[in-house]
Amino acid sequence: MTGPSFSRRTLLQLSGAGAAALTLPLGFAGRVLAQDGSTVTIAYNVNLPSFDPTVGASAVNPTIQTIYQAVFDPYIRQAPDLSFEPGILTDWGWNEDKTKVHMTVRDDAVWHNGDKVTPEDVVWSLERAGNPESGNPIQFVWSKIGNFQIDGNTVTADVKEYEPTLFKWMAFLTGYVLPKKYFEEVGPEGFEAKPVGSGPYMVDTFERNAFLRLKANPNYWGGKPAFETVIFKFVPDATSRVAEIESGAADVTLEIPYEEFDRLKDKPGIVGETIPVSDIAMIFINDIGVMKDENVRRAAAMSINKKAIVDRLLRGYGVPLDTLQTPEYDAYDPSIKVPYDPDQAQALLEKSGYSPDNPVKFTIQTTRGFKPKDYEMVQAIVGMWRKVGIDATIEVYEIAKHYELRARDELAEAAFYNWGNAIGDPGTSTGFAMFGPSPHSVWDGQEVFDAIAPLWAEKDEEKRIAGWKKVDKLIADKGAVIPLLQFVQPIVHTDKVAVVPQANGMLLPQKMTPEG
């Protein structure tokens, strides 16, 4: 039985890493630019630390992919609903026994410097990504194909180890085609100084920690984008992003407090849009101490009123969930339910000798302010638990500490987290989160391990998805994790700009058009 080639060091980087950012320097003419009909200004919530979209921590930061996909083309693109569509590749797939892959490279794409995008660029990009010395955090995926052959615009390769999500990754983290000739001529430092992609926008001006200005690519194979100029202003503070919109200094922003979203969307000239995105609020359960007791785990899950959390804390902006799959994911099964039943929760605890007068005690860890209302959600959950006989102590930490502890399998008995899965595959949601050898997992139960292990190499897609649904049912019945809700992304923009929300959370300027 062949499992995934997990590397704790490389897989840890998948968790992503935030980067410090500052607002624009005084004197930047944001308001004038924002009102120029040929320019759209975006008050963005993260900074851009690197222009190479295939190496380092920034390559696996989902939030930065918005900028990367404006400048670089992925092998395969994603539609707003997470479905896949042609990018640099117009066709792709496996042979019948999954021992080879084939890819067709489009013949109408050019690099920003005027060179033609070639199959050689695709092969070089894939070989570089699969090289363990390249610094690609997803190397463990890309390295599973090799012995590339080029015949006209067709690229073939041998499958060294079957990876069912290979083509899905080509639409997401590190899945970008880079220019072989140009990169080899200028090297990594030269590429950082003057990046060249084949995407809808070209880099014009970049001031680190301040802003990025892009110019439309007139030769883009998908057609020249509607806005001639795009300004990304790096504004990490949510209150400041609200002010950018209210003052007219920016046209578009995202990830603001829901109460501010509700206030702004009712103002003349401002439009508010929300979309459920591929991020899940969840509570990791570490099977240590009292959490080895199934009664305690199930009681903890059944005593949480998820609908009340969504309605009261998140102002209705959230979708309650009972598995680590959202409705957009391939293995979503709405029949799997973990009911809100505090009476049954209390009865389960009583079987193990616990009650409100003699509560079971453990720690729950959480961030505070990393996601909207994260700490407040945990506070509410602790209050619900207290009513049935659970006395949980809240420990607040930074997100980097969560990644560190999770990789070492040293999380507390419970830990709040947001899980992202833009490619919608169960292997990168339930799989990475619940398979003991993964550095993303702290659940070591043998029954779950035995259920998951065969699925990594399952070549029959129908059987693979059905297998993951069975795993989700097992996990729900065991109380091995507590899914809470699907996050909803708030976007506000002026009525002069039309925005297309994406289920993967990206805010793509190439999808924006002038209004009015």
Side-chain angles (χ1 to χ4, degrees), residues 364-444:
I364 179 168
Q365 296 164 320
T366 182
T367 50
R368 188 170 191 167
F370 181 70
K371 292 291 285 187
K373 303 294 185 181
D374 46 8
Y375 179 74
E376 290 82 357
M377 277 192 271
V378 171
Q379 278 186 311
I381 289 167
V382 168
M384 295 172 188
W385 281 345
R386 189 175 298 116
K387 294 177 181 178
V388 300
I390 298 174
D391 181 10
T393 300
I394 300 175
E395 177 188 327
V396 177
Y397 56 13
E398 295 297 321
I399 190 63
K401 187 66 173 179
H402 171 91
Y403 296 145
E404 177 187 330
L405 293 176
R406 196 173 75 195
R408 299 203 308 254
D409 198 355
E410 294 179 2
L411 287 178
E413 294 92 338
F416 177 89
Y417 183 67
N418 64 289
W419 189 274
N421 179 25
I423 63 174
D425 193 87
T428 47
S429 53
T430 300
F432 280 4
M434 301 305 299
F435 188 64
S438 164
H440 301 286
S441 174
V442 292
W443 183 264
D444 298 314

Side-chain angles (χ1 to χ4, degrees), residues 33-44:
L33 289 169
Q35 294 184 0
D36 180 345
S38 65
T39 299
V40 63
T41 301
I42 304 168
Y44 208 57

Side-chain angles (χ1 to χ4, degrees), residues 232-254:
F232 282 96
K233 299 170 73 172
F234 304 132
V235 188
D237 178 69
T239 302
S240 298
R241 292 197 300 278
V242 170
E244 288 280 330
I245 291 293
E246 285 200 279
S247 68
D251 299 294
V252 187
T253 196
L254 73 167

Side-chain angles (χ1 to χ4, degrees), residues 297-337:
R297 300 193 306 266
R298 292 181 61 207
M302 296 175 70
S303 54
I304 298 175
N305 188 338
K306 301 170 187 177
K307 186 176 186 304
I309 289 174
V310 170
D311 291 344
R312 298 172 190 173
L313 275 178
L314 305 183
R315 304 173 74 93
Y317 298 117
V319 180
L321 294 174
D322 292 312
T323 70
L324 295 180
Q325 319 292 331
T326 78
E328 296 81 13
Y329 290 8
D330 292 341
Y332 177 69
D333 185 347
S335 71
I336 301 174
K337 297 293 184 183

